[in-house]
Amino acid sequence: MMADLYVGLVHYPVYNKNMDIIASSVTNLDIHDIARACRTYDVKKYYIIHPLDAQKELIKKIIGFWQTGYGYRYNPDRFEALNRVCWKNSLESVTEEIKAITEKNPYIVGTDAGTWPNMVSYGFLRAKLKDDRPILLLFGTGSGIEKQTMEKFDYILEPIYGREYNHLSVRSAVAIILDRILGETWWEK
């Protein structure tokens, strides 16, 4: 038995490079690439969290292209990956939906390039997946999720440390982290 894992991409409240709280823009690449990573690792649902209706319409238009007509005929695999994408206007609406689906409150796990008092390892989160409580794994856009929001999370996952440079795209970070917590245990072979 493995816990259900959900992924959320937070567009608000996040910081811009000047540390102002903003709502960042949705990008086509984030929708596609994160959906494909979520499908690869059998994530239950990928939530794009954004409060603005204009961004919701953009998400629907992008997904709709690949779910009907030419886009579907051209690449049916994209249809399957994008079926896991869901827009929600707030983090609260995401947690409410997960609770309604699973009848359990999810652990909320944030990601960040910094360190936090409630920081946990990839091994810890991998072990948590053996619980029956769902996990909502959140990734920030812009320059990261607002501090007061992060402080409410159950856990913060340790950063991905590169060799010299620490500024991955969120798409890359999602793929690396999903592999670390859900991928094969190649180091045991």
Side-chain angles (χ1 to χ4, degrees), residues 9-12 23-26 47-56 59 87-91 141:
L9 184 61
V10 179
H11 288 274
Y12 177 84
S24 63
S25 297
V26 171
Y47 293 97
I48 300 174
I49 304 164
H50 202 299
L52 300 177
D53 286 337
Q55 294 291 291
K56 173 186 175 183
I59 295 162
W87 169 85
K88 288 291 181 187
N89 67 352
S90 69
L91 183 54
T141 57

Side-chain angles (χ1 to χ4, degrees), residues 72-139:
Y72 174 75
R73 288 188 308 276
Y74 178 75
N75 192 343
D77 288 340
R78 190 72 48 98
F79 168 85
E80 189 176 336
L82 290 171
N83 261 350
R84 294 171 190 245
V85 180
C86 180
W87 169 85
K88 288 291 181 187
N89 67 352
S90 69
L91 183 54
E92 293 77 21
S93 63
V94 171
T95 56
E96 288 170 15
E97 180 170 290
I98 293 170
K99 186 175 180 182
I101 293 167
T102 66
E103 300 180 351
K104 296 178 179 112
N105 284 318
Y107 289 112
I108 300 177
V109 181
T111 58
D112 193 68
T115 58
W116 295 80
N118 58 340
M119 194 165 64
V120 297
S121 70
Y122 299 102
F124 176 90
L125 192 55
R126 193 187 253 292
K128 271 289 183 214
L129 285 166
K130 295 178 181 164
D131 289 357
D132 65 347
R133 191 170 157 191
I135 295 172
L136 172 59
L137 181 59
L138 297 170
F139 295 86

Side-chain angles (χ1 to χ4, degrees), residues 128-167:
K128 271 289 183 214
L129 285 166
K130 295 178 181 164
D131 289 357
D132 65 347
R133 191 170 157 191
I135 295 172
L136 172 59
L137 181 59
L138 297 170
F139 295 86
T141 57
S143 291
I145 301 170
E146 177 220 14
K147 181 182 178 186
Q148 287 77 15
T149 302
M150 294 280 289
E151 289 171 342
K152 297 174 188 172
F153 297 166
D154 296 300
Y155 306 108
I156 309 294
L157 196 55
E158 65 186 325
I160 298 168
Y161 294 108
R163 292 197 174 206
E164 293 180 18
Y165 184 73
N166 192 18
H167 193 72

